[in-house]
Amino acid sequence: MTSPSTRPARNIPEFLELIRRRAAGTPEGEWIRTTTNWQELNLAERRMPIAAEIDRASGRHPDLVKRGGHNDVVNTYALRLAGITEDTPAPPGGDIGRDADGMLNGRLIDNALHLWEHLVPAADRDRRIGGLRPHAFVGGRLVACTGTRHR
């Protein structure tokens, strides 16, 4: 599983371009999972991307756009792997995002995360440690500021 940082993105096209770049170097069918250190309020559109947009950036991989611990957006590939369809009911305490026509938009909230989480392979130790490299260690503690943009 590969994890592009989407924090530098200023809008959804840039966000998707970061996913597209990662997908280009990732074996087909391997999961792509974004980092969680971004916030939709920092994007010009002030919203999360939807499954159809992510599909255009990376349709040959299951994609997971993480947003904190309560909100995820997955692409159509990932929805299909999880068996989530327009007929899938939202679990108690969760929500499956849909557009005005009732079509899935890829957003999964709270207890709906359990519908697909078991499909994502755990990162090995080296990959987890490698994911920390872009951050700073000060006095033996990891220092990172999430949800903000440094200008």
Side-chain angles (χ1 to χ4, degrees), residues 4-10 15 18-19 34-35 37-38 43 149:
S5 174
T6 48
R7 186 174 182 190
R10 296 172 294 186
F15 189 99
L18 293 167
I19 293 172
T34 68
T35 58
N37 65 342
W38 69 279
L43 300 176
R149 178 172 290 124

Side-chain angles (χ1 to χ4, degrees), residues 2-23 32-44 47-49 54 57 63-68 73 134-135 147-149:
T2 62
S3 301
S5 174
T6 48
R7 186 174 182 190
R10 296 172 294 186
N11 54 50
I12 288 179
E14 288 181 8
F15 189 99
L16 297 171
E17 180 58 27
L18 293 167
I19 293 172
R20 185 178 292 108
R21 285 184 201 156
R22 183 55 58 102
I32 295 175
R33 177 193 188 276
T34 68
T35 58
T36 60
N37 65 342
W38 69 279
Q39 191 173 85
E40 68 275 8
L41 297 178
N42 289 334
L43 300 176
R47 66 171 178 83
M48 297 172 78
I54 301 166
D63 289 279
L64 163 60
V65 173
K66 288 296 293 177
R67 172 60 182 89
V73 180
H135 304 288
T148 60
R149 178 172 290 124

Side-chain angles (χ1 to χ4, degrees), residues 100-128:
D101 296 323
M103 302 299 290
L104 299 172
N105 66 14
R107 186 149 181 212
L108 301 168
I109 301 170
D110 289 327
N111 285 346
L113 302 180
H114 303 296
L115 298 173
W116 65 264
E117 285 179 326
H118 63 283
L119 299 171
V120 181
D124 63 27
R125 180 181 181 276
D126 290 339
R127 186 163 294 198
R128 289 192 317 263

Side-chain angles (χ1 to χ4, degrees), residues 23 26-30 60-62 77:
T26 301
E28 186 171 337
E30 186 176 313
R60 295 181 10 222
H61 303 86
Y77 193 128

